[in-house]
Amino acid sequence: MDKLVISGPTRLKGEVTISGAKNAAVAILPATLLIEGVCRIENLPNISDVKMYCKILETLGAKITWLSEHEIEIDSSNISCTQASIDLTSKFRASYYLLGSLLGRCGQAEVGLPGGCNLGARPIDQHIKAFEALGAKVEVAQGKITAKVKRLIGTSIYMDIVSVGATINAILAAVLADGTTTIDNAAKEPHIVDVANFLNTMGADIRGAGTDVIKINGVKKLHGNTSYSVVPDQIEAGTFMLAAVASKGDITIKNCIPEHLDCITAKIVEIGGTVEDYGDSIRVYMNKRPTKATVKTLPYPGYPTDLQPQMGVVLSMANGTSMIHESIWESRFQYTAELNKMGAKITAQGKSAVFEGVSELTGAPIYATDLRAGAALIIAGIVAHGDTQLYNIDHIDRGYENIEEKFRKLGANIQRVVE
Ligand code: EPZ
């Protein structure tokens, strides 16, 4: 198992280029199953979740050609199988998108119950509700979900909860359905807009993505022969913004969309940092200790849960006592126990945590408890005095491309050790 060895403290300085968005890529890849033809996807992040998805698509009959490290051609003309490997699909969360795609394309799907980061209970009742509303019969048994339908019929779907995954899955299933589907109380994250843009480029008729009412007029077929570039990763960009603040550094973040980062910018300014917007890049710098703050995670455009642990590292060293309320996931404060090993003073209980700011962290052996926690703990290692060994970094490789290389270019003393 690899580990990262980090020696700090370092003030991060320089430029970093953001990769394509993981959470858009892992929805666009299964969406290609809806296309009877060939399409090209550019700006794919080079991460293990993308590689895993490509492997699964191949087992279903799609032909994949890698054109470069970040660009692939997928030919989904012949989909020969609708049963995805339980072993592969149960390893990560985004495998649930195969349900919407295979249902839409073939009228049937079998997928392992999704795995992924351990953030507490991760129900999929809203996905099932959407498929059933469109006419499918859905069964959950023996660790897998099976869905079947003769013909998907457009309908009105009201989401009881704002869910990224259920919104995208409902879109995937509705694209080729007969008639019009309306999704009310839809999620509005940038990757939802990106998936809709991708499908529209391939011939779908989806309107309103990015608002809470999405309308999908079913079309007979999606054509291929088109290329699409994945949106820049909002969460990766936010991770480097917060790394600049935590390390009292100065980072220019290139290839990002500043308006996707508005609420992070607002929080950084509130705690004393500076953010300059250059259209497709932003500069973040900080030269003093952050002030205390209160943060509550919310669906987009609120403060994202996927940047909560990174903000936790910043607030663990703020001047005064801060509070974070996690309103999306049940169990996203596991990283606080690791930060406490580094000298932080955090008390987490249920969905809230109190951060009594300390003036410095010290290096320690620590464990990445999930993907975003892992990124946050790298930042902690960079700002801490002394050496940190970070274990369980396969979590981080699932969603961040070349993360140690990107931090090294900003001045961090960070090495991957293969054990
Ligand atoms: C997506 O997960 C992301 N994953 C997560 O990113 C992210 O944390 C989350 O959205 C919230 O922004 C992908 O895009 C692959 P949800 P998703 O459905 O779609 C409840 C990362 O680190 N809910 O929006 O699974 C659920 O329990 C990952 O990149 C139901 O109750 O999240 C949660 O409390 C981690 N029933 C809330 O809704 C359902 O059927 C939001 O979940 C679905 C969800």
Side-chain angles (χ1 to χ4, degrees):
M1 205 52 97
D2 297 0
K3 68 174 178 184
L4 291 175
V5 178
I6 311 166
S7 300
T10 304
R11 285 185 155 194
L12 297 172
K13 283 197 169 77
E15 288 182 356
V16 63
T17 301
I18 297 307
S19 301
K22 164 195 165 258
N23 287 342
V26 296
I28 287 173
L29 286 170
T32 62
L33 292 174
L34 292 164
I35 301 165
E36 277 181 60
V38 184
C39 70
R40 190 176 280 204
I41 305 170
E42 296 159 11
N43 201 33
L44 268 179
N46 184 0
I47 53 175
S48 63
D49 269 11
V50 161
K51 288 181 191 140
M52 174 101 82
Y53 232 125
C54 289
K55 217 190 241 178
I56 295 174
L57 294 182
E58 283 177 325
T59 65
L60 302 176
K63 290 202 179 76
I64 297 186
T65 313
W66 283 89
L67 305 172
S68 71
E69 194 190 350
H70 299 114
E71 192 179 358
I72 57 173
E73 198 166 76
I74 305 187
D75 181 354
S76 300
S77 305
N78 297 305
I79 297 306
S80 49
C81 174
T82 56
Q83 292 175 316
S85 148
I86 308 277
D87 193 35
L88 291 179
T89 52
S90 55
K91 283 203 173 76
F92 70 126
R93 179 80 179 160
S95 58
Y96 52 35
Y97 292 135
L98 291 166
L99 287 166
S101 300
L102 286 170
L103 249 192
R105 172 77 183 269
C106 310
Q108 54 185 22
E110 190 180 295
V111 175
L113 277 170
C117 289
N118 177 14
L119 310 174
R122 299 185 73 174
I124 53 162
D125 55 301
Q126 298 303 303
H127 302 238
I128 294 173
K129 174 179 160 169
F131 299 144
E132 288 179 339
L134 287 156
K137 249 189 154 32
V138 185
E139 228 174 68
V140 180
Q142 297 172 322
K144 61 189 181 196
I145 314 160
T146 317
K148 235 183 180 168
V149 70
K150 225 177 183 161
R151 206 54 234 133
L152 289 162
I153 310 288
T155 186
S156 290
I157 302 166
Y158 187 91
M159 295 289 174
D160 299 324
I161 286 174
V162 178
S163 159
V164 171
T167 301
I168 293 179
N169 241 337
I171 294 174
L172 293 171
V175 159
L176 298 175
D178 288 339
T180 299
T181 300
T182 308
I183 307 171
D184 273 295
N185 200 23
K188 298 181 276 205
E189 270 69 2
H191 36 293
I192 290 178
V193 179
D194 207 42
V195 174
N197 286 344
F198 165 74
L199 289 165
N200 284 342
T201 306
M202 304 293 152
D205 183 357
I206 304 165
R207 297 158 195 221
T211 75
D212 50 15
V213 182
I214 300 177
K215 246 192 182 123
I216 304 123
N217 295 313
V219 296
K220 291 265 172 290
K221 209 176 154 173
L222 296 187
H223 55 74
N225 293 326
T226 314
S227 54
Y228 188 81
S229 182
V230 176
V231 72
D233 198 311
Q234 168 213 15
I235 302 301
E236 189 196 8
T239 299
F240 283 102
M241 290 171 80
L242 293 165
V245 174
S247 71
K248 300 197 189 78
D250 184 345
I251 304 181
T252 297
I253 296 151
K254 298 172 81 178
N255 188 36
C256 66
I257 301 177
E259 59 261 42
H260 290 170
L261 298 157
D262 279 349
C263 66
I264 298 111
T265 296
K267 235 351 136 188
I268 288 177
V269 171
E270 183 186 318
I271 60 179
T274 305
V275 181
E276 293 171 0
D277 177 343
Y278 295 101
D280 59 357
S281 66
I282 44 179
R283 176 180 171 208
V284 182
Y285 55 96
M286 177 88 171
N287 52 18
K288 53 183 184 221
R289 197 170 166 193
T291 52
K292 63 180 180 168
T294 298
V295 176
K296 180 174 185 178
T297 64
L298 287 169
Y300 188 82
Y303 190 91
T305 172
D306 293 348
L307 288 172
Q308 187 261 99
Q310 300 87 322
M311 180 57 94
V313 173
V314 171
L315 296 182
S316 72
M317 293 177 298
N319 206 348
T321 299
S322 302
M323 174 95 188
I324 297 185
H325 182 72
E326 169 60 53
S327 71
I328 309 291
W329 299 117
E330 251 173 21
S331 178
R332 209 167 199 173
F333 283 122
Q334 296 170 62
Y335 71 95
T336 59
E338 303 305 302
L339 272 185
N340 284 347
K341 292 179 191 166
M342 304 175 81
K345 288 191 181 159
I346 309 166
T347 313
Q349 198 163 38
K351 286 174 133 188
S352 296
V354 178
F355 293 72
E356 206 183 309
V358 296
S359 57
E360 64 176 51
L361 298 176
T362 48
I366 47 171
Y367 290 82
T369 49
D370 62 68
L371 166 62
R372 308 302 172 185
L377 293 172
I378 292 181
I379 300 173
I382 290 169
V383 302
H385 290 254
D387 293 341
T388 292
Q389 285 91 36
L390 176 58
Y391 297 94
N392 286 356
I393 59 172
D394 49 318
H395 285 302
I396 308 171
D397 294 334
R398 286 189 33 231
Y400 286 91
E401 175 173 335
N402 278 339
I403 192 161
E404 73 266 26
E405 186 60 36
K406 289 187 183 185
F407 274 119
R408 210 166 19 239
K409 280 193 181 143
L410 294 169
N413 187 343
I414 175 171
Q415 306 299 332
R416 181 178 290 249
V417 177
V418 182
E419 292 199 325

